[in-house]
């Protein structure tokens, strides 16, 4: 797979015009666009068609489902019916919730089922918060590996993790899909993220997809932003 196909641009805005402009500007350089609550709450899942018209072929619906199995299954059904390419759910929802989501995704997609990926510990959290505020006693890597293995055993296609955990998670889940957010060039601010890293470390450690938000969307020139990340290869993302 070429590098362009591995890049997912996160559209973190509630402004549909801005999102459409970003899709038009960035689509030639990336393989997918990720949307979350900011666009789906005001516009509903109909926003997917608007973004497709602007050039977003593959949509990653990042709503991080976390509820009882029946409620998550109903949400996954709606996403699958709209042909989303990938969607997220929280691994801490447990095996019954995950299994219900997997079954629903396969039952209700017209063609290819969406890729289901599990979130264990958000990249905005660090180990201290995990221990002192969330009551988790395992180390952050152990917790992530434990949840990720459980999710894949329940039928998920893969998991989300930061650059710092990719190698560990790759060893733990074998061939499953790994999606890595928190990508930054070394010169860039972390914003609200805690566990960040650079694009090539992620890819070399075994990440399949890189989620890149503000570094890409805040830049007037996507080629320049990708070049700063070392992701602009001749004839690939240009
Ligand atoms: O702007 P930035 O590159 O930090 O955006 C990262 C994107 O990845 C955001 O849309 C965020 O919701 C998402 N994400 C994350 N950490 C996770 C899962 C998803 O940052 N564990």
């Amino acid at each position: 797979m070429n590098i362009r196909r591995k890049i997912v641009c996160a559209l973190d805005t509630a402004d549909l015009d801005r999102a459409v402009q970003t899709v038009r500007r960035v689509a030639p350089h990336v393989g997918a666009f990720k949307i979350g609550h900011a666009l789906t709450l005001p516009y509903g899942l109909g926003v997917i068609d608007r973004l497709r018209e602007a050039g977003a072929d593959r949509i990653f619906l990042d709503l991080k489902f976390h509820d009882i199995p029946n409620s998550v299954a109903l949400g996954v059904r709606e996403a699958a019916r709209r042909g989303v390419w990938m969607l997220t759910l929280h691994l801490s929802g447990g095996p019954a919730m995950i299994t219900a989501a997997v079954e629903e995704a396969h039952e209700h997609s017209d063609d290819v089922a969406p890729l289901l990926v599990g979130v264990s510990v958000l990249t905005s959290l660090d180990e201290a918060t995990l221990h002192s505020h969330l009551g988790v006693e395992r180390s952050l890597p152990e917790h992530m590996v434990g949840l990720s293995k459980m999710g894949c055993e329940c039928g998920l296609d893969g998991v989300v993790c930061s650059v710092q955990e990719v190698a560990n998670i790759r060893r733990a889940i074998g061939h499953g899909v790994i999606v890595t957010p928190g990508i930054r060039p070394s010169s860039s601010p972390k914003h609200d993220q805690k566990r960040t890293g650079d694009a090539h470390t992620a890819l070399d450690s075994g990440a399949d997809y890189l989620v890149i938000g503000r570094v890409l969307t805040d830049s007037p020139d996507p080629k320049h932003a990708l070049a700063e990340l070392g992701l602009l290869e001749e004839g690939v993302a240009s």
Side-chain angles (χ1 to χ4, degrees):
M1 200 194 312
N2 69 32
I3 289 190
R4 174 180 167 262
R5 298 286 286 176
K6 291 172 174 266
I7 302 171
V8 179
C9 175
L11 294 171
D12 287 315
T13 174
D15 179 341
L16 183 54
D17 289 338
R18 188 181 145 96
V20 164
Q21 281 165 20
T22 303
V23 169
R24 292 200 180 115
R25 197 172 70 240
V26 176
H29 311 289
V30 304
F33 287 88
K34 185 175 85 67
I35 60 171
H37 297 101
L39 279 173
T40 55
L41 285 176
Y43 302 105
L45 290 183
V47 73
I48 292 172
D49 289 333
R50 297 286 306 276
L51 298 174
R52 283 197 178 120
E53 284 161 20
D57 293 336
R58 297 198 295 183
I59 297 288
F60 176 177
L61 184 66
D62 185 20
L63 295 179
K64 300 188 180 69
F65 292 122
H66 188 186
D67 207 326
I68 61 170
N70 182 59
S71 300
V72 166
L74 289 169
V76 170
R77 179 183 302 187
E78 295 311 315
R81 281 178 171 164
R82 280 161 179 85
V84 307
W85 163 67
M86 183 182 282
L87 62 84
T88 44
L89 38 85
H90 269 288
L91 293 164
S92 48
M97 185 202 84
I98 295 167
T99 308
V102 170
E103 285 172 6
E104 207 69 26
H106 286 94
E107 210 168 306
H108 291 280
S109 43
D110 281 346
D111 187 6
V112 183
L115 294 169
L116 264 54
V117 295
V119 175
S120 48
V121 180
L122 294 166
T123 44
S124 54
L125 298 173
D126 57 17
E127 186 143 15
T129 309
L130 203 63
H131 296 320
S132 24
H133 297 281
L134 301 179
V136 174
E137 288 180 3
R138 295 193 278 198
S139 71
L140 187 144
E142 278 171 352
H143 189 55
M144 291 192 68
V145 164
L147 288 177
S148 299
K149 280 173 81 167
M150 179 272 295
C152 292
E153 282 160 15
C154 292
L156 288 186
D157 297 286
V159 297
V160 180
C161 69
S162 89
V163 180
Q164 296 164 25
E165 298 97 33
V166 176
N168 231 350
I169 298 283
R170 175 55 72 212
R171 274 192 294 277
I173 68 164
H175 295 299
V177 170
I178 296 183
V179 179
T180 302
I183 303 294
R184 296 285 184 283
S186 49
S187 55
S188 175
K190 286 188 167 191
H191 307 103
D192 52 350
Q193 300 281 25
K194 290 272 173 23
R195 304 186 337 273
T196 58
D198 70 275
H200 277 281
T201 305
L203 293 172
D204 294 347
S205 310
D208 297 293
Y209 298 102
L210 307 177
V211 174
I212 307 174
R214 287 159 286 191
V215 170
L216 199 47
T217 55
D218 292 353
S219 166
D221 180 359
K223 283 175 78 168
H224 180 258
L226 291 172
E228 274 210 311
L229 288 163
L231 291 174
L232 197 66
E233 289 188 353
E234 208 56 48
V236 175
S238 56

